[in-house]
Amino acid sequence: MDHDAQHILETLKALRAQDAPTHGGHVMSYVYDSGRTELDSLAARAMELVQPVNGLDPTMFGSVAHMERELLTFARELLGGDHTVTGTATSGGTESCLLAVKTARANHRGAGPARILAPTSIHAAFHKAADYFGLALDLVPVGHDGELDPERLIERMGPDTALVVLSAPSYPHGALDPIQQVAAAALERGIDCHVDACFGGWILPFWEGLPPWDLAVPGVTSLSADLHKYGYAPKGISVLLTKNKQRQRGQFFATTNWPGYPVVNPTLLGSKSAAPLAAAWAITKYLGTEGYAALAEPCKRATSVLIEQINGIEGLRVLGRPIGPLLAVVRDPEVDADSGVDPHLWADALAAAGWHVQMQPGYRQPDGSWLERTTHLTITPVTESVLPELCTALERCADSVRGSHSPDSEQVLSALGIDFAGVPEPGALQQVLGALGISGERGALPREMAPLLGLVEALPRDISAQLLIDLLASLVAPEPG
């Protein structure tokens, strides 16, 4: 056992040095860099002050109730809520989405097993919510540009629909769903309508020219928005805002039916850190609406530059009409094979050059239509400061892979001789990982990720999910005894 505190911290520093950089604009997913170091310092000081606090019980720790109340008031005013809107601070977007589904299930008075109705572009958190809470998930295909035809969704509403979910914007493609039309139809039928603004909630209020999308829209009954994205707070903190206090009560769990203390939980967690809440509260107090508006400006400028830059690269184009600081980049279908750029090979080339973007596999929708593979870029305020070198890298990396093709995943599977039509034989998935250069024992990732994403496209979705479970489990498995 190492009892030297300095050595322990030096070890952690060395481990962190191997991570992708969380500041400086070279990672264009997962992290949201404001470019303002004073926000990081403020958050760290606020978190330290509440480090020993248990957020489970605001009657014991009144600071928790005070910070959450002020944070929710700020969020409600920013996101179009009136006096009927209440809310909860959660551990992140996934928990906010899970609780929105739990609330809708509790309030559902329709006929038959409860059903969630959403576009295929809805965040995977709602797949998790359906799985956890035993609801059917009815997915409506979107267009090749990621946009939803509202009538396709409205016609699927029925007495078993407990919740309609829409995105502002969708994470895969940056499309703003037709919230006004769908929410109006849901209101007419007495169906709850949730807006997943986990990505856009703290920046779309400052994005001009958008149709109404927030809590001010009639028929929208709840909305989620993450402060650890464009609220620039540390992970993990989100808010779930709900119209009607009585509706929100379905979100809670409470019991006095045991010999211990009365348990009342508005969230999935019991004991929880107050640190992310304190950090978010401090940052919102420091920035205010004007500060957030100012931070939106470099995002808007950088997004405009990148759209023009990428659309000017032979073989690539930005998909659809992205709303907000999010781009999905696809192979240009108008060019021939020799001029095309595979977005996943492009992403691997960017990673090798020190720029980290996110691959998204192609997807077969329920109606059989195919959404092409894309590469996702999240733009943050700091992106503007690195635009010259980023734009150069985007073009050079495209040049380096133009006309190249990802390995044929079907051929890889055929060469392995593994039948994935039914339940895979024991060890089959490890064999596939081994063929990709991933050792099952220590879970070493391949230098290039495009082949792995190609397999995700080629395999049945339940099998590819199991493959990725095995991969992630191997990354954190204890050392062999």
Side-chain angles (χ1 to χ4, degrees):
M1 188 67 66
D2 189 344
H3 298 291
D4 184 335
Q6 185 60 35
H7 182 259
I8 292 168
L9 293 176
E10 290 299 328
T11 300
L12 179 55
K13 287 180 182 178
L15 291 171
R16 283 285 291 115
Q18 301 172 40
D19 291 341
T22 55
H23 292 76
H26 279 243
V27 174
M28 306 189 74
S29 64
Y30 297 126
V31 295
Y32 296 78
D33 185 0
S34 69
R36 295 178 58 174
T37 57
E38 76 270 22
L39 296 185
D40 291 339
S41 298
L42 174 61
R45 294 199 300 271
M47 294 172 79
E48 185 177 11
L49 284 171
V50 300
Q51 182 179 343
V53 170
N54 189 340
L56 166 67
D57 190 351
T59 68
M60 179 74 70
F61 302 103
S63 62
V64 173
H66 182 95
M67 290 185 294
E68 184 165 359
R69 184 170 56 250
E70 291 197 343
L71 182 65
L72 293 170
T73 301
F74 184 85
R76 182 178 69 180
E77 293 172 356
L78 180 69
L79 295 165
D82 60 18
H83 70 281
T84 68
V85 172
T86 186
T88 305
T90 74
S91 64
T94 293
E95 187 177 23
S96 290
C97 296
L98 288 169
L99 290 170
V101 171
K102 180 182 183 297
T103 303
R105 186 186 67 173
N107 292 316
H108 179 53
R109 297 294 179 266
R115 175 169 58 103
I116 304 170
L117 182 61
T120 55
S121 54
I122 204 67
H123 196 276
F126 291 94
H127 292 249
K128 180 186 282 190
D131 184 46
Y132 279 13
F133 298 130
L135 280 74
L137 181 60
D138 186 4
L139 296 175
V140 179
V142 297
H144 293 291
D145 56 1
E147 297 192 11
L148 172 70
D149 176 354
E151 292 304 321
R152 294 193 71 179
L153 190 143
I154 292 169
E155 68 185 14
R156 300 263 277 271
M157 293 181 183
D160 60 342
T161 307
L163 183 66
V164 172
V165 183
L166 302 165
S167 298
S170 68
Y171 187 87
H173 308 121
L176 180 64
D177 285 335
I179 291 165
Q180 269 186 301
Q181 301 96 309
V182 174
L187 178 62
E188 183 180 345
R189 293 161 175 79
I191 299 170
D192 282 5
C193 178
H194 178 77
V195 173
D196 175 16
C198 287
F199 185 91
W202 292 85
I203 194 162
L204 289 192
F206 314 107
W207 215 268
E208 294 84 5
L210 302 183
W213 58 272
D214 61 11
L215 287 162
V217 175
V220 171
T221 54
S222 59
L223 180 148
S224 51
D226 291 358
L227 286 114
H228 60 217
K229 292 186 172 73
Y230 290 97
Y232 307 110
K235 310 291 183 185
I237 180 75
S238 175
V239 293
L240 173 62
L241 301 175
T242 304
K243 287 181 181 175
N244 187 316
K245 293 178 182 178
Q246 194 57 42
R247 174 185 278 115
Q248 190 219 19
R249 299 304 183 256
Q251 170 189 320
F252 280 69
F253 170 81
T255 186
T256 56
N257 189 27
W258 78 306
Y261 62 93
V263 173
V264 184
N265 297 146
T267 63
L268 299 177
L269 301 180
S271 290
K272 56 187 177 183
S273 172
L277 169 65
W281 171 82
I283 289 172
T284 57
K285 299 289 280 187
Y286 182 82
L287 288 175
T289 304
E290 291 183 0
Y292 280 115
L295 283 169
E297 291 304 312
C299 292
K300 288 186 279 189
R301 292 191 295 265
T303 299
S304 178
V305 169
L306 287 172
I307 290 173
E308 183 177 0
Q309 174 72 20
I310 292 168
N311 283 336
I313 296 174
E314 184 183 14
L316 289 173
R317 67 175 173 86
V318 173
L319 183 70
R321 300 177 299 169
I323 300 298
L326 179 166
L327 306 179
V329 182
V330 68
R331 183 189 183 279
D332 188 348
E334 302 296 324
V335 302
D336 58 32
D338 291 336
S339 301
V341 175
D342 183 314
H344 289 179
L345 294 180
W346 180 58
D348 271 337
L350 284 167
W355 300 90
H356 302 274
V357 292
Q358 192 173 53
M359 301 181 193
Q360 300 182 140
Y363 176 69
R364 183 74 62 192
Q365 300 194 93
D367 64 354
S369 60
W370 180 254
L371 298 178
E372 294 294 336
R373 64 175 59 169
T374 59
T375 288
H376 169 111
L377 284 73
T378 292
I379 295 94
T380 61
V382 77
T383 305
E384 186 176 48
S385 67
V386 296
L387 275 176
E389 54 183 309
L390 173 58
C391 288
T392 297
L394 296 177
E395 189 154 356
R396 286 180 177 173
C397 290
D399 290 343
S400 71
V401 299
R402 184 172 293 108
S404 301
H405 301 280
S406 291
D408 189 323
S409 299
E410 299 285 356
Q411 289 183 4
V412 172
L413 294 175
S414 177
L416 291 172
I418 301 173
D419 179 14
F420 284 104
V423 179
E425 293 292 327
L429 295 178
Q430 287 298 329
Q431 190 177 349
V432 172
L433 292 175
L436 290 170
I438 304 170
S439 65
E441 289 299 316
R442 297 299 304 276
L445 290 172
R447 294 173 68 92
E448 297 177 343
M449 296 298 291
L452 180 60
L453 271 291
L455 271 179
V456 170
E457 291 180 352
L459 288 168
R461 288 302 156 119
D462 57 339
I463 302 299
S464 62
Q466 188 60 53
L467 175 79
L468 297 175
I469 288 172
D470 282 5
L471 174 58
L472 186 62
S474 71
L475 289 175
V476 298
E479 298 287 346

